[in-house]
Amino acid sequence: MEHPTTQTGTDAPTSTMNGSTNVSTLQNRMTKAVDIFALGCIIFFVLTGKHPFGRRSEREWNILNNKPVALIEEANNQSRHNQKKRKKHFYRIDASVLKLICEELIVPDPTKRISAAQLLKQCLFWDYGLKLNFLSDVSDQLGKEPENIVYKLLQENAEKIFNGNPTWDTQIDDAVYQQIKSVRKYDYTRVWDVLRCIRNLKSHYREYMLQETKLMRCGCEKLPDAIFVYFDLEFPNLFPVVYELVKEHWSDIPQFKKYF
């Protein structure tokens, strides 16, 4: 497999310009943002095995012309990839990660690239526990503001989140389903109720008999983290959609500032 950092491939546009570029101007542009660009290329390579700007022979031209051909291809294929069943959980490159790489790491204008400190707060680096807390907080906020903009947009994405199905109850293991319906009532057409279910399982998992369900055979044996892993496997579009909507509409709410 080709190494992503050999000779060409991680140099930002400002460092691959031809000799006509004024040297002092080029040096002024060679800031830490160049390293962020390189890191974006490396992250994409680690997650996919491909360079975001394609084959070595075309890579430098693609960088100069902002043509991340492999990233675009990955974005076009991600829906199909998300539908595949996986026997165990591993990091999956999803819409939020692709957007992060494309719009904030390998963007041509170095002034628009995020800092290392900002990068570390991105969901790419969140562990299962933090993602679970985030979804729980979203559920609580939806309960405070019924019919708000995030609720409406989540419902508009319900079919995508439910893997093309009208309801979410048929997507989960019957043993898990029997557990949750015996304790709480849910509307299986609402995305909010998936989040409510996740939140309730997280808060009361000691009261449920989860040890013999598929939830504990999802590749993570630690509770409550396994709750996130299980639902992320069954609904691969749930977290990315929720994350992007909250980031756009609720990032200034005190409850969510810690995430952004």
Side-chain angles (χ1 to χ4, degrees):
M1 181 180 291
E2 182 182 359
H3 197 282
T5 60
T6 53
Q7 294 185 350
T8 62
T10 58
D11 289 337
T14 50
S15 58
T16 57
M17 292 178 175
N18 59 39
S20 63
T21 304
N22 182 279
V23 174
S24 62
T25 301
L26 183 58
Q27 288 176 338
N28 288 335
R29 291 174 177 171
M30 295 285 281
T31 65
K32 293 178 181 178
V34 173
D35 297 325
I36 295 297
F37 181 94
L39 182 60
C41 294
I42 293 170
I43 289 173
F44 185 83
F45 182 87
V46 169
L47 295 177
T48 67
K50 297 179 287 187
H51 193 286
F53 290 94
R55 298 187 301 271
R56 178 188 294 274
S57 60
E58 62 184 14
R59 198 170 294 165
E60 187 170 323
W61 187 92
N62 284 338
I63 290 174
L64 288 172
N65 291 277
N66 190 29
K67 300 287 186 182
V69 290
L71 191 148
I72 294 171
E73 180 184 4
E74 186 70 28
N76 291 335
N77 291 336
Q78 67 170 298
S79 294
R80 176 168 54 84
H81 291 167
N82 280 350
Q83 298 302 323
K84 292 182 178 180
K85 289 291 183 179
R86 293 167 295 277
K87 293 183 179 180
K88 61 180 180 178
H89 196 261
F90 58 94
Y91 198 90
R92 180 185 64 255
I93 188 165
D94 57 37
S96 59
V97 176
L98 289 175
K99 185 175 181 180
L100 166 67
I101 295 173
C102 186
E103 297 183 4
E104 301 191 77
L105 299 183
I106 63 172
V107 61
D109 185 349
T111 64
K112 294 183 179 179
R113 295 176 204 146
I114 61 176
S115 67
Q118 291 171 320
L119 176 60
L120 289 175
K121 295 194 72 173
Q122 300 296 315
C123 65
L124 175 66
F125 298 101
W126 293 7
D127 60 23
Y128 298 144
L130 187 58
K131 290 181 177 181
L132 185 60
N133 289 339
F134 174 75
L135 294 181
S136 297
D137 286 343
V138 174
S139 175
D140 290 341
Q141 188 65 30
L142 288 169
K144 296 175 184 177
E145 301 181 42
E147 303 297 319
N148 60 72
I149 182 63
V150 172
Y151 175 92
K152 292 177 181 178
L153 292 173
L154 282 173
Q155 279 308 113
E156 289 179 9
N157 283 275
E159 184 175 350
K160 176 181 178 180
I161 292 171
F162 299 161
N163 305 317
N165 296 287
T167 63
W168 58 271
D169 55 319
T170 58
Q171 306 295 297
I172 59 178
D173 175 48
D174 185 63
V176 176
Y177 173 68
Q178 296 299 329
Q179 289 278 324
I180 64 174
K181 80 169 189 176
S182 66
V183 180
R184 297 281 194 281
K185 290 184 178 180
Y186 297 100
D187 182 340
Y188 300 109
T189 66
R190 298 195 309 187
V191 178
W192 176 29
D193 281 56
V194 182
L195 297 174
R196 282 184 56 230
C197 178
I198 292 171
R199 185 257 185 209
N200 291 335
L201 284 171
K202 169 184 173 289
S203 300
H204 307 288
Y205 68 89
R206 292 182 180 86
E207 302 169 21
Y208 291 90
M209 303 293 291
L210 300 174
Q211 297 300 328
E212 301 303 319
T213 69
K214 285 186 178 179
L215 189 148
M216 295 305 299
R217 299 193 295 274
C218 61
C220 177
E221 298 179 355
K222 177 185 175 183
L223 284 170
D225 291 3
I227 296 167
F228 173 82
V229 175
Y230 174 77
F231 278 88
D232 192 45
L233 285 169
E234 298 301 326
F235 304 99
N237 289 311
L238 176 63
F239 181 82
V241 170
V242 173
Y243 176 82
E244 290 300 330
L245 289 178
V246 172
K247 184 177 182 180
E248 180 178 357
H249 297 284
W250 282 354
S251 59
D252 290 333
I253 294 178
Q255 189 173 1
F256 295 104
K257 284 185 176 180
K258 59 187 175 184
Y259 297 109
F260 303 103

Short mmCIF file of all heavy atoms in Angstrom, two decimals, residues 88-130:
data_model
loop_
_atom_site.label_atom_id
_atom_site.label_comp_id
_atom_site.label_asym_id
_atom_site.label_seq_id
_atom_site.Cartn_x
_atom_site.Cartn_y
_atom_site.Cartn_z
N LYS A 88 -18.59 -6.70 13.80
CA LYS A 88 -18.10 -6.00 14.98
C LYS A 88 -17.90 -4.54 14.64
O LYS A 88 -17.81 -4.16 13.48
CB LYS A 88 -16.79 -6.61 15.48
CG LYS A 88 -15.65 -6.56 14.48
CD LYS A 88 -14.40 -7.19 15.07
CE LYS A 88 -13.23 -7.13 14.08
NZ LYS A 88 -12.01 -7.71 14.65
N HIS A 89 -17.83 -3.71 15.65
CA HIS A 89 -17.76 -2.27 15.42
C HIS A 89 -16.33 -1.84 15.14
O HIS A 89 -15.41 -2.23 15.82
CB HIS A 89 -18.29 -1.53 16.66
CG HIS A 89 -18.60 -0.10 16.39
ND1 HIS A 89 -17.75 0.91 16.71
CD2 HIS A 89 -19.68 0.48 15.81
CE1 HIS A 89 -18.29 2.06 16.36
NE2 HIS A 89 -19.45 1.83 15.82
N PHE A 90 -16.17 -1.04 14.10
CA PHE A 90 -14.88 -0.43 13.83
C PHE A 90 -15.17 0.98 13.34
O PHE A 90 -16.30 1.31 13.03
CB PHE A 90 -14.09 -1.20 12.77
CG PHE A 90 -14.82 -1.35 11.46
CD1 PHE A 90 -14.63 -0.45 10.43
CD2 PHE A 90 -15.71 -2.40 11.28
CE1 PHE A 90 -15.31 -0.59 9.23
CE2 PHE A 90 -16.39 -2.55 10.07
CZ PHE A 90 -16.19 -1.64 9.05
N TYR A 91 -14.14 1.83 13.31
CA TYR A 91 -14.42 3.21 12.94
C TYR A 91 -14.88 3.29 11.50
O TYR A 91 -14.23 2.76 10.60
CB TYR A 91 -13.21 4.13 13.15
CG TYR A 91 -13.69 5.56 13.18
CD1 TYR A 91 -14.06 6.14 14.38
CD2 TYR A 91 -13.88 6.26 12.00
CE1 TYR A 91 -14.57 7.41 14.41
CE2 TYR A 91 -14.40 7.54 12.02
CZ TYR A 91 -14.74 8.11 13.23
OH TYR A 91 -15.27 9.38 13.24
N ARG A 92 -15.99 3.92 11.30
CA ARG A 92 -16.57 4.07 9.97
C ARG A 92 -16.51 5.54 9.58
O ARG A 92 -16.89 6.41 10.35
CB ARG A 92 -18.03 3.61 9.99
CG ARG A 92 -18.74 3.71 8.66
CD ARG A 92 -20.21 3.35 8.82
NE ARG A 92 -20.90 4.28 9.68
CZ ARG A 92 -21.27 4.02 10.92
NH1 ARG A 92 -21.00 2.85 11.46
NH2 ARG A 92 -21.90 4.92 11.65
N ILE A 93 -16.02 5.82 8.40
CA ILE A 93 -15.99 7.21 7.94
C ILE A 93 -17.40 7.58 7.50
O ILE A 93 -18.00 6.94 6.65
CB ILE A 93 -14.97 7.40 6.80
CG1 ILE A 93 -14.81 8.88 6.47
CG2 ILE A 93 -15.29 6.57 5.58
CD1 ILE A 93 -13.59 9.21 5.65
N ASP A 94 -17.97 8.58 8.14
CA ASP A 94 -19.34 8.96 7.84
C ASP A 94 -19.40 10.40 7.34
O ASP A 94 -18.37 11.05 7.14
CB ASP A 94 -20.25 8.76 9.07
CG ASP A 94 -19.77 9.54 10.28
OD1 ASP A 94 -19.27 10.67 10.11
OD2 ASP A 94 -19.90 9.03 11.41
N ALA A 95 -20.62 10.89 7.14
CA ALA A 95 -20.80 12.20 6.53
C ALA A 95 -20.14 13.31 7.33
O ALA A 95 -19.55 14.24 6.76
CB ALA A 95 -22.30 12.48 6.37
N SER A 96 -20.23 13.25 8.66
CA SER A 96 -19.66 14.31 9.48
C SER A 96 -18.14 14.35 9.38
O SER A 96 -17.53 15.42 9.37
CB SER A 96 -20.09 14.14 10.94
OG SER A 96 -19.67 12.89 11.45
N VAL A 97 -17.52 13.17 9.26
CA VAL A 97 -16.06 13.11 9.13
C VAL A 97 -15.63 13.60 7.75
O VAL A 97 -14.66 14.36 7.62
CB VAL A 97 -15.55 11.67 9.37
CG1 VAL A 97 -14.05 11.59 9.13
CG2 VAL A 97 -15.89 11.23 10.79
N LEU A 98 -16.35 13.20 6.72
CA LEU A 98 -16.04 13.67 5.37
C LEU A 98 -16.16 15.19 5.27
O LEU A 98 -15.33 15.86 4.66
CB LEU A 98 -16.97 13.01 4.35
CG LEU A 98 -16.75 11.52 4.07
CD1 LEU A 98 -17.83 11.00 3.15
CD2 LEU A 98 -15.38 11.27 3.47
N LYS A 99 -17.20 15.72 5.89
CA LYS A 99 -17.40 17.17 5.87
C LYS A 99 -16.28 17.88 6.61
O LYS A 99 -15.78 18.92 6.16
CB LYS A 99 -18.75 17.51 6.50
CG LYS A 99 -19.10 18.99 6.42
CD LYS A 99 -20.50 19.25 6.96
CE LYS A 99 -20.85 20.74 6.84
NZ LYS A 99 -22.21 21.02 7.36
N LEU A 100 -15.87 17.33 7.74
CA LEU A 100 -14.76 17.90 8.51
C LEU A 100 -13.49 17.95 7.67
O LEU A 100 -12.82 18.99 7.58
CB LEU A 100 -14.52 17.07 9.77
CG LEU A 100 -13.20 17.32 10.52
CD1 LEU A 100 -13.18 18.72 11.11
CD2 LEU A 100 -12.99 16.26 11.59
N ILE A 101 -13.15 16.84 7.03
CA ILE A 101 -11.92 16.77 6.24
C ILE A 101 -11.98 17.73 5.07
O ILE A 101 -11.04 18.49 4.80
CB ILE A 101 -11.67 15.33 5.75
CG1 ILE A 101 -11.41 14.41 6.95
CG2 ILE A 101 -10.48 15.29 4.80
CD1 ILE A 101 -11.32 12.94 6.58
N CYS A 102 -13.11 17.73 4.37
CA CYS A 102 -13.25 18.51 3.14
C CYS A 102 -13.33 20.01 3.41
O CYS A 102 -12.69 20.80 2.72
CB CYS A 102 -14.48 18.05 2.37
SG CYS A 102 -14.66 18.81 0.74
N GLU A 103 -14.10 20.41 4.40
CA GLU A 103 -14.39 21.83 4.60
C GLU A 103 -13.49 22.52 5.63
O GLU A 103 -13.43 23.75 5.66
CB GLU A 103 -15.85 22.00 5.02
CG GLU A 103 -16.84 21.55 3.95
CD GLU A 103 -18.28 21.79 4.36
OE1 GLU A 103 -18.50 22.38 5.44
OE2 GLU A 103 -19.18 21.39 3.60
N GLU A 104 -12.79 21.74 6.46
CA GLU A 104 -12.03 22.38 7.52
C GLU A 104 -10.57 21.94 7.63
O GLU A 104 -9.79 22.55 8.35
CB GLU A 104 -12.74 22.16 8.87
CG GLU A 104 -14.16 22.70 8.88
CD GLU A 104 -14.78 22.73 10.25
OE1 GLU A 104 -14.43 23.64 11.03
OE2 GLU A 104 -15.60 21.84 10.54
N LEU A 105 -10.20 20.89 6.91
CA LEU A 105 -8.81 20.43 6.98
C LEU A 105 -8.07 20.61 5.65
O LEU A 105 -6.96 21.15 5.63
CB LEU A 105 -8.76 18.95 7.40
CG LEU A 105 -9.34 18.60 8.77
CD1 LEU A 105 -9.15 17.12 9.07
CD2 LEU A 105 -8.70 19.44 9.87
N ILE A 106 -8.66 20.16 4.55
CA ILE A 106 -7.96 20.23 3.27
C ILE A 106 -8.52 21.34 2.38
O ILE A 106 -8.31 21.33 1.17
CB ILE A 106 -7.99 18.88 2.53
CG1 ILE A 106 -9.42 18.47 2.18
CG2 ILE A 106 -7.31 17.80 3.35
CD1 ILE A 106 -9.49 17.23 1.28
N VAL A 107 -9.23 22.28 2.97
CA VAL A 107 -9.73 23.42 2.21
C VAL A 107 -8.53 24.24 1.70
O VAL A 107 -7.54 24.40 2.41
CB VAL A 107 -10.66 24.27 3.10
CG1 VAL A 107 -9.92 24.82 4.30
CG2 VAL A 107 -11.30 25.40 2.31
N PRO A 108 -8.56 24.72 0.44
CA PRO A 108 -7.40 25.41 -0.13
C PRO A 108 -6.95 26.65 0.64
O PRO A 108 -5.76 26.89 0.79
CB PRO A 108 -7.88 25.79 -1.54
CG PRO A 108 -8.97 24.82 -1.85
CD PRO A 108 -9.65 24.54 -0.55
N ASP A 109 -7.90 27.44 1.12
CA ASP A 109 -7.56 28.67 1.83
C ASP A 109 -7.08 28.32 3.24
O ASP A 109 -7.85 27.84 4.07
CB ASP A 109 -8.79 29.58 1.91
CG ASP A 109 -8.48 30.93 2.54
OD1 ASP A 109 -7.38 31.10 3.11
OD2 ASP A 109 -9.35 31.82 2.47
N PRO A 110 -5.80 28.55 3.55
CA PRO A 110 -5.27 28.17 4.87
C PRO A 110 -5.94 28.89 6.03
O PRO A 110 -5.96 28.38 7.14
CB PRO A 110 -3.78 28.52 4.77
CG PRO A 110 -3.69 29.53 3.68
CD PRO A 110 -4.77 29.18 2.70
N THR A 111 -6.50 30.07 5.76
CA THR A 111 -7.15 30.82 6.84
C THR A 111 -8.46 30.19 7.26
O THR A 111 -9.01 30.53 8.30
CB THR A 111 -7.40 32.28 6.41
OG1 THR A 111 -8.34 32.30 5.31
CG2 THR A 111 -6.11 32.96 5.99
N LYS A 112 -8.98 29.28 6.43
CA LYS A 112 -10.26 28.63 6.74
C LYS A 112 -10.07 27.26 7.39
O LYS A 112 -11.06 26.61 7.73
CB LYS A 112 -11.10 28.50 5.46
CG LYS A 112 -11.55 29.84 4.90
CD LYS A 112 -12.44 29.66 3.68
CE LYS A 112 -12.91 31.01 3.15
NZ LYS A 112 -13.76 30.87 1.94
N ARG A 113 -8.82 26.83 7.53
CA ARG A 113 -8.57 25.55 8.20
C ARG A 113 -8.63 25.75 9.71
O ARG A 113 -8.17 26.77 10.23
CB ARG A 113 -7.20 24.99 7.79
CG ARG A 113 -7.13 24.63 6.32
CD ARG A 113 -5.74 24.16 5.91
NE ARG A 113 -5.57 24.39 4.47
CZ ARG A 113 -4.44 24.72 3.89
NH1 ARG A 113 -3.34 24.86 4.62
NH2 ARG A 113 -4.39 24.92 2.58
N ILE A 114 -9.17 24.78 10.39
CA ILE A 114 -9.29 24.89 11.84
C ILE A 114 -7.94 24.65 12.51
O ILE A 114 -7.02 24.09 11.92
CB ILE A 114 -10.35 23.91 12.40
CG1 ILE A 114 -9.95 22.45 12.10
CG2 ILE A 114 -11.71 24.22 11.83
CD1 ILE A 114 -10.90 21.45 12.71
N SER A 115 -7.84 25.09 13.75
CA SER A 115 -6.61 24.89 14.51
C SER A 115 -6.58 23.48 15.09
O SER A 115 -7.58 22.76 15.10
CB SER A 115 -6.55 25.91 15.65
OG SER A 115 -7.57 25.64 16.61
N ALA A 116 -5.41 23.10 15.59
CA ALA A 116 -5.28 21.78 16.21
C ALA A 116 -6.20 21.65 17.42
O ALA A 116 -6.80 20.60 17.65
CB ALA A 116 -3.83 21.54 16.60
N ALA A 117 -6.30 22.73 18.19
CA ALA A 117 -7.17 22.71 19.38
C ALA A 117 -8.63 22.51 18.98
O ALA A 117 -9.37 21.77 19.62
CB ALA A 117 -7.01 24.01 20.17
N GLN A 118 -9.05 23.19 17.90
CA GLN A 118 -10.42 23.02 17.42
C GLN A 118 -10.64 21.62 16.87
O GLN A 118 -11.71 21.03 17.05
CB GLN A 118 -10.71 24.06 16.33
CG GLN A 118 -10.78 25.49 16.83
CD GLN A 118 -10.85 26.49 15.69
OE1 GLN A 118 -10.18 26.35 14.67
NE2 GLN A 118 -11.67 27.52 15.86
N LEU A 119 -9.63 21.09 16.22
CA LEU A 119 -9.74 19.75 15.64
C LEU A 119 -9.97 18.70 16.72
O LEU A 119 -10.77 17.78 16.54
CB LEU A 119 -8.48 19.42 14.85
CG LEU A 119 -8.39 18.01 14.26
CD1 LEU A 119 -9.54 17.76 13.29
CD2 LEU A 119 -7.05 17.80 13.57
N LEU A 120 -9.30 18.84 17.84
CA LEU A 120 -9.42 17.85 18.91
C LEU A 120 -10.82 17.81 19.52
O LEU A 120 -11.17 16.84 20.18
CB LEU A 120 -8.38 18.14 20.00
CG LEU A 120 -6.92 17.85 19.61
CD1 LEU A 120 -5.98 18.28 20.72
CD2 LEU A 120 -6.73 16.36 19.29
N LYS A 121 -11.61 18.86 19.29
CA LYS A 121 -12.98 18.87 19.82
C LYS A 121 -13.98 18.26 18.84
O LYS A 121 -15.15 18.12 19.17
CB LYS A 121 -13.40 20.31 20.14
CG LYS A 121 -12.59 20.96 21.26
CD LYS A 121 -13.24 22.23 21.77
CE LYS A 121 -14.48 21.93 22.58
NZ LYS A 121 -15.05 23.14 23.23
N GLN A 122 -13.52 17.90 17.64
CA GLN A 122 -14.41 17.34 16.64
C GLN A 122 -14.82 15.92 17.02
O GLN A 122 -14.09 15.19 17.69
CB GLN A 122 -13.74 17.34 15.27
CG GLN A 122 -13.33 18.71 14.77
CD GLN A 122 -14.52 19.62 14.54
OE1 GLN A 122 -15.52 19.22 13.95
NE2 GLN A 122 -14.41 20.87 14.97
N CYS A 123 -15.99 15.50 16.54
CA CYS A 123 -16.53 14.19 16.92
C CYS A 123 -15.67 13.03 16.44
O CYS A 123 -15.81 11.91 16.92
CB CYS A 123 -17.96 14.03 16.40
SG CYS A 123 -18.10 13.99 14.59
N LEU A 124 -14.76 13.30 15.51
CA LEU A 124 -13.83 12.27 15.05
C LEU A 124 -13.05 11.68 16.21
O LEU A 124 -12.67 10.50 16.19
CB LEU A 124 -12.86 12.90 14.03
CG LEU A 124 -11.72 12.04 13.50
CD1 LEU A 124 -12.28 10.89 12.66
CD2 LEU A 124 -10.76 12.88 12.67
N PHE A 125 -12.81 12.49 17.25
CA PHE A 125 -11.99 12.06 18.37
C PHE A 125 -12.81 11.74 19.63
O PHE A 125 -12.24 11.54 20.69
CB PHE A 125 -10.94 13.13 18.69
CG PHE A 125 -10.00 13.38 17.55
CD1 PHE A 125 -10.16 14.48 16.73
CD2 PHE A 125 -8.97 12.50 17.28
CE1 PHE A 125 -9.29 14.72 15.67
CE2 PHE A 125 -8.10 12.72 16.23
CZ PHE A 125 -8.26 13.83 15.42
N TRP A 126 -14.13 11.73 19.51
CA TRP A 126 -14.96 11.41 20.66
C TRP A 126 -14.95 9.90 20.91
O TRP A 126 -14.99 9.10 19.97
CB TRP A 126 -16.41 11.84 20.41
CG TRP A 126 -16.62 13.31 20.33
CD1 TRP A 126 -15.68 14.30 20.33
CD2 TRP A 126 -17.88 13.98 20.22
NE1 TRP A 126 -16.27 15.53 20.22
CE2 TRP A 126 -17.62 15.37 20.16
CE3 TRP A 126 -19.20 13.54 20.17
CZ2 TRP A 126 -18.63 16.31 20.04
CZ3 TRP A 126 -20.21 14.48 20.05
CH2 TRP A 126 -19.93 15.85 20.00
N ASP A 127 -14.96 9.51 22.17
CA ASP A 127 -15.10 8.09 22.48
C ASP A 127 -16.59 7.75 22.58
O ASP A 127 -17.46 8.62 22.48
CB ASP A 127 -14.35 7.73 23.77
CG ASP A 127 -14.84 8.50 24.99
OD1 ASP A 127 -16.00 8.99 24.99
OD2 ASP A 127 -14.07 8.62 25.96
N TYR A 128 -16.88 6.47 22.76
CA TYR A 128 -18.28 6.03 22.79
C TYR A 128 -19.07 6.70 23.90
O TYR A 128 -20.24 7.07 23.73
CB TYR A 128 -18.35 4.51 22.97
CG TYR A 128 -17.72 3.71 21.85
CD1 TYR A 128 -17.04 2.52 22.13
CD2 TYR A 128 -17.81 4.13 20.53
CE1 TYR A 128 -16.47 1.77 21.11
CE2 TYR A 128 -17.23 3.39 19.51
CZ TYR A 128 -16.56 2.21 19.81
OH TYR A 128 -15.99 1.47 18.80
N GLY A 129 -18.42 6.86 25.06
CA GLY A 129 -19.12 7.46 26.19
C GLY A 129 -19.55 8.89 25.91
O GLY A 129 -20.66 9.29 26.26
N LEU A 130 -18.67 9.66 25.28
CA LEU A 130 -19.00 11.05 24.97
C LEU A 130 -20.11 11.13 23.93
O LEU A 130 -21.01 11.97 24.02
CB LEU A 130 -17.76 11.79 24.49
CG LEU A 130 -17.90 13.31 24.28
CD1 LEU A 130 -18.35 13.99 25.57
CD2 LEU A 130 -16.59 13.91 23.78
#
